Amino acid sequence: MDIQSLTVTELKQGYQYLSQEAVFVCNYCQQSFEAGRVYQFAEEMFLGKQAVEWHITEEHGGNFRQLLSDESKYNTLTDKQKQLLTAFQSGKKDAQIAEEMNVSHSTIRHQKFSFREKAKQAKLYLAQYENAFLGHLQEEIIPIHNGATMVDERYFMTIEEREQIIKENFESLHPLKLKRLPKKEKKKIAILSRIIKEFVTGRTYTEEEIKEILVGIYNDHVTVRRYLIDYGYMNRTPDGKAYWVND
């Protein structure tokens, strides 16, 4: 999940709505659902928004569970805090939670108070941050991914630059179809940063699975696969039998 590119609302709901393509996209696996299309799951009919919500619940165990188990450096909750939030989210009464966790009722009330205070702090900080950078957010430099190799000026680009490169070089984003693979290094990095979103972090892929995904994106899938490795977006075992996304 790319926290950098998602709004608070998109994080809370577990999906994005891409207005230009009129699709809802799952934050966790990038599966898309057309806004006006009817989908059938378990003998029930759903429109696009309902379909992506059903998908997140059934396929990913719900958005709350995914947010709580996020393994990025931004998730600073302790195991005890996760346990408490899970209990609060379940709707259990404070007395029941206290009994199950073998603590006093007052301890649970205090924990609730602490969570509310942290939420207020985060809300105020977000307002301060957005006011400070209002009108300049599009000029933000995109963070360099953790697996980046040979970091230099080619990695430094703004959100606006990346979006323009993607717009110029892809035929469509859903499904992802690349028109050309640019020669300029900065453009390659922008292209690869979009392609890597088609893979799920934490999952291990076989070479055949990598091929199947990349063939649908670009005819020269071997070159794209090599670039994903060379530029540090993806890693693999020495024998090339297992591939995974670099966190």
Side-chain angles (χ1 to χ4, degrees):
M1 180 172 64
D2 185 5
I3 294 176
Q4 171 72 16
S5 66
L6 297 171
T7 66
V8 174
T9 298
E10 289 168 343
L11 284 169
K12 285 168 62 178
Q13 65 194 15
Y15 60 85
Q16 308 169 62
Y17 177 65
L18 305 182
S19 56
Q20 289 186 334
E21 291 85 11
V23 294
F24 296 92
V25 183
C26 172
N27 290 347
Y28 306 107
C29 67
Q30 305 303 307
Q31 185 170 341
S32 62
F33 300 85
E34 297 174 23
R37 180 178 168 186
V38 176
Y39 295 83
Q40 182 173 353
F41 302 117
E43 299 182 356
E44 292 189 61
M45 309 297 285
F46 301 92
L47 284 172
K49 182 174 180 293
Q50 297 170 316
V52 71
E53 290 171 346
W54 184 94
H55 165 82
I56 291 169
T57 299
E58 297 298 321
E59 300 297 328
H60 300 293
N63 192 48
F64 176 74
R65 176 182 174 184
Q66 287 294 324
L67 289 174
L68 217 57
S69 61
D70 181 76
E71 296 181 353
S72 74
K73 62 183 178 182
Y74 303 108
N75 187 357
T76 59
L77 293 173
T78 65
D79 289 340
K80 181 63 71 176
Q81 288 172 326
K82 292 176 183 179
Q83 184 182 359
L84 281 163
L85 284 176
T86 299
F88 294 143
Q89 195 264 350
S90 71
K92 294 178 181 178
K93 294 185 179 301
D94 291 357
Q96 182 182 352
I97 297 172
E99 183 178 352
E100 290 177 353
M101 299 185 71
N102 196 28
V103 297
S104 68
H105 194 170
S106 61
T107 297
I108 297 301
R109 287 200 303 271
H110 175 72
Q111 289 296 332
K112 270 190 173 179
F113 174 79
S114 297
F115 279 125
R116 291 192 188 104
E117 291 300 293
K118 288 180 182 295
K120 292 175 186 176
Q121 292 169 4
K123 188 183 294 184
L124 178 59
Y125 169 74
L126 187 60
Q128 292 166 337
Y129 172 81
E130 291 186 352
N131 271 269
F133 290 97
L134 188 64
H136 305 290
L137 290 177
Q138 287 300 311
E139 292 302 317
E140 278 191 295
I141 299 298
I142 297 170
I144 300 172
H145 67 281
N146 292 335
T149 58
M150 299 181 291
V151 176
D152 52 31
E153 68 278 357
R154 60 187 165 170
Y155 279 95
F156 295 95
M157 70 182 81
T158 64
I159 294 173
E160 189 176 9
E161 282 181 303
R162 182 177 66 177
E163 294 307 310
Q164 185 59 35
I165 293 169
I166 289 173
K167 182 179 179 180
E168 291 173 353
N169 291 279
F170 283 97
E171 292 180 18
S172 70
L173 298 181
H174 299 282
L176 196 64
K177 293 285 185 183
L178 182 63
K179 289 192 289 189
R180 66 182 72 85
L181 196 54
K183 293 183 178 180
K184 290 188 176 180
E185 295 296 300
K186 179 176 282 192
K187 290 187 176 182
K188 281 181 189 174
I189 289 169
I191 295 301
L192 294 172
S193 73
R194 178 60 187 85
I195 291 176
I196 198 63
K197 290 183 178 181
E198 299 298 296
F199 298 89
V200 179
T201 301
R203 174 182 167 183
T204 300
Y205 294 86
T206 65
E207 185 174 358
E208 190 59 34
E209 288 173 327
I210 296 290
K211 177 182 177 181
E212 184 177 350
I213 293 171
L214 293 181
V215 162
I217 297 172
Y218 191 60
N219 58 347
D220 189 358
H221 64 91
V222 174
T223 298
V224 174
R225 185 187 66 194
R226 186 177 77 248
Y227 283 159
L228 287 171
I229 299 294
D230 290 347
Y231 287 82
Y233 287 96
M234 186 169 275
N235 211 335
R236 64 181 174 186
T237 56
D239 59 11
K241 290 184 178 180
Y243 293 74
W244 63 92
V245 176
N246 274 325
D247 295 339

